[in-house]
Every structure is written in C-alpha cells, then in structure tokens.
Amino acid sequence: MTLEYLSQNRAFDGDQFVLSHHSEATGTEMTFSVYVPPHLPGVKLPVLWYLSGLTCTHANVTEKGEYRRACAEHGIVFVAPDTSPRGEDVPDAPDEYDFGKGAGFYVDATQDPWSRHYRMRSYIEIELPQVVASEFPVDLSRQAITGHSMGGHGALTIGLRDPGRFRSISAFSPIVSPSRVPWGEKALSRYLGDDRDAWRAYDAVALIEDGARHDHILVDQGTADQFLEEQLKTGALSLACAKAGMAPEIRMQEGYDHSYYFISSFMADHIAWHAARLG
C-alpha cells in the first residue's frame, strides 16, 4: 500500500496532512486528511474520526471545521475521509446532489451498478484505520467517532454497531433514521434494494430498537436547521433512546442552522467531550 502525501501544513505546533491512496474496498483512489497534534516521540494518541455530509469531501471540515486548536490541546488525532468513491469509472447520478458521488451514506452497496465501488462501510470500518495506524502514531484502543448530517448518520450507526471499539459517539445535525426520510429512502433503496430489513443496520433508530446500546452519545442540533423536520427528525432518536433506557446528551441549539458556522461553533466542545472519554 502506497500513500501519497498531497500537502502538509504546520498548525498549533502539530501537522495537518492531506493524503491519497488506492483503496481495496472501493477500488478507487481515496483522499483523506489527518491532523496530528504535538506529542512526544514514541507516544501513541487517541483518534477521532469525522464523517462529512452530503456533497462534501475531506476538505470541508479540514478547511472550515476549526478543530485543530482543540485537538492540539487534548492530544487527539483527527481523521477526515471522503464521503464516497471518486473517479471516471465510478457510477454517479450527476443531476442528484443527494445520491452517487458525494453521497455514499457509509454503506456497503449490494445493488448494481453501485456495489462495485460504493463500499464506504468497509472503507471506514476496516481499511482506513489500518492505513492510518500504519503511518501515524494512533492508539486504536482509544477511538471515537463524530460526523455531520449524513456523516452524523454514519457516526451513529458505525458507533452503535461496534460499541466496544468506539468509546464515544457524537454528531452534528445527524440523519437519525434514514429509513423514514427522503434522503435516506432514496439512498438505501438504490444501494441496498427494496428489502427494508436490510436497511436497519444503517439506521440509528432501528439499531437501538433492535438492541444496540452505547453509554456515551452526544448530539447537537440547531433549531433553525432547514432540514430538521423533513430529513433529520432528532426527536425520533430521543424517543428511541428513552424507550431503550439510554440517556444520550441531545442538545437543541437555539438559532443555529445546518452549516459549518454551526459545526465550528461546537466543534471544540465535542472534542473536549470525547477527550474526557478517550483518556
């Protein structure tokens, strides 16, 4: 496996990297960013995975997320992958912002023509951690995950499916139940087919209904988010958790929308919250 270093920049006495590599999971070149905070030689650091939302690449949070100061303060490596496979041979729906490239929904697709390349679950859960650990000083026994919108969906579902691996889960404006909203119904039906039972592994509310549990979940949702009522439905997560006896921190933030102005306002808070659980 060969990593190509695309850029390296000093920030808060640490280093911000952007890299690319050939992915076995997706069969394409994949680009991701890694921030490594200042640390002593030989020390391995906890890692926070950040999953981005619809239309995004690694670059959105890298350029606008304002996470580096907090990661430097708490000694946390921050990794931001892409949201889908890319390339001329990758099938796409160019007239649909919410499907195809930029909209992988963190699933392993089973339907043609998507199943060949759209394997973001395997990429995020299996391949990318191995790639990062081979090159950077990360301690894979101390992992946490976060994300925004579609990436908040990814963070919740990945963390709920493997609570022993991820010590904490947080999300900004997550799609909490994609099986029940237009964005998710479009993506899951095309990537996975019409069997809704197959969708449940990619739906945080359904996972909780089916027995998934985690003790450390934080969600921030803006009250002025234009997608709240139709696509995000934060209340469905609150209800599912209450029925399951879970007590996540779900905070409705007055006046905030769906943008990176919102994410950057609470990013440092999320990093500090994860740091307290990562040790």
Side-chain angles (χ1 to χ4, degrees):
M1 185 274 298
T2 301
L3 276 174
E4 180 181 359
Y5 280 72
L6 303 179
S7 65
Q8 179 177 349
N9 299 93
R10 197 72 169 165
F12 299 101
D13 294 324
D15 290 285
Q16 178 67 65
F17 301 93
V18 177
L19 309 97
S20 69
H21 71 111
H22 179 78
S23 167
E24 295 296 328
T26 68
T28 67
E29 290 296 309
M30 296 294 291
T31 301
F32 64 98
S33 74
V34 179
Y35 177 71
V36 180
H39 62 285
L40 296 173
V43 173
K44 290 198 171 185
L45 304 169
V47 57
L48 176 61
W49 307 94
Y50 177 92
L51 305 183
S52 293
L54 288 167
T55 75
C56 292
T57 69
H58 72 282
N60 299 74
V61 70
T62 305
E63 296 169 1
K64 297 185 289 187
E66 299 185 25
Y67 55 83
R68 281 170 284 266
R69 182 188 295 274
C71 284
E73 177 183 350
H74 294 286
I76 293 175
V77 174
F78 190 98
V79 183
D82 204 344
T83 56
S84 76
R86 309 275 176 175
E88 292 183 3
D89 296 333
V90 175
D92 192 17
D95 297 328
E96 302 176 68
Y97 77 94
D98 53 357
F99 189 75
K101 292 179 185 178
F105 266 83
Y106 304 102
V107 308
D108 277 356
T110 59
Q111 304 299 301
D112 291 333
W114 316 104
S115 58
R116 180 180 176 187
H117 297 295
Y118 284 79
R119 300 185 53 78
M120 291 302 294
R121 175 180 179 175
S122 291
Y123 179 69
I124 299 297
E125 292 184 356
I126 300 170
E127 184 175 15
L128 187 59
Q130 295 172 353
V131 171
V132 171
S134 72
E135 192 76 7
F136 296 101
V138 298
D139 178 0
L140 292 184
S141 71
R142 292 186 290 164
Q143 298 186 61
I145 192 165
T146 187
H148 171 237
S149 193
M150 178 186 71
H153 139 75
L156 288 169
T157 55
I158 290 170
L160 284 166
R161 287 195 303 260
D162 198 351
R165 173 178 171 183
F166 297 97
R167 294 195 184 183
S168 49
I169 307 165
S170 75
F172 304 88
S173 317
I175 307 169
V176 304
S177 188
S179 299
R180 308 173 199 184
V181 301
W183 279 342
E185 289 182 325
K186 174 189 284 189
L188 298 180
S189 63
R190 296 189 191 178
Y191 289 140
L192 303 176
D194 294 331
D195 180 4
R196 286 180 171 258
D197 286 342
W199 302 6
R200 297 185 70 82
Y202 299 105
D203 184 308
V205 169
L207 284 166
I208 292 167
E209 290 172 347
D210 293 344
R213 299 290 183 268
H214 203 290
D215 292 332
H216 302 288
I217 297 176
L218 169 65
V219 172
D220 274 321
Q221 173 63 59
T223 62
D225 190 319
Q226 64 270 40
F227 302 113
L228 175 57
E229 296 302 322
E230 182 180 23
Q231 304 282 10
L232 307 178
K233 297 189 181 296
T234 310
L237 179 65
S238 299
L239 181 60
C241 289
K243 289 181 177 179
M246 296 169 59
E249 296 181 54
I250 299 178
R251 310 186 301 196
M252 303 302 295
Q253 302 292 0
E254 186 66 32
Y256 284 91
D257 61 17
H258 199 71
S259 71
Y260 268 87
Y261 295 108
F262 166 56
I263 297 166
S264 63
S265 296
F266 296 96
M267 179 66 83
D269 192 25
H270 279 234
I271 290 168
W273 181 86
H274 285 291
R277 289 149 182 84
L278 288 167

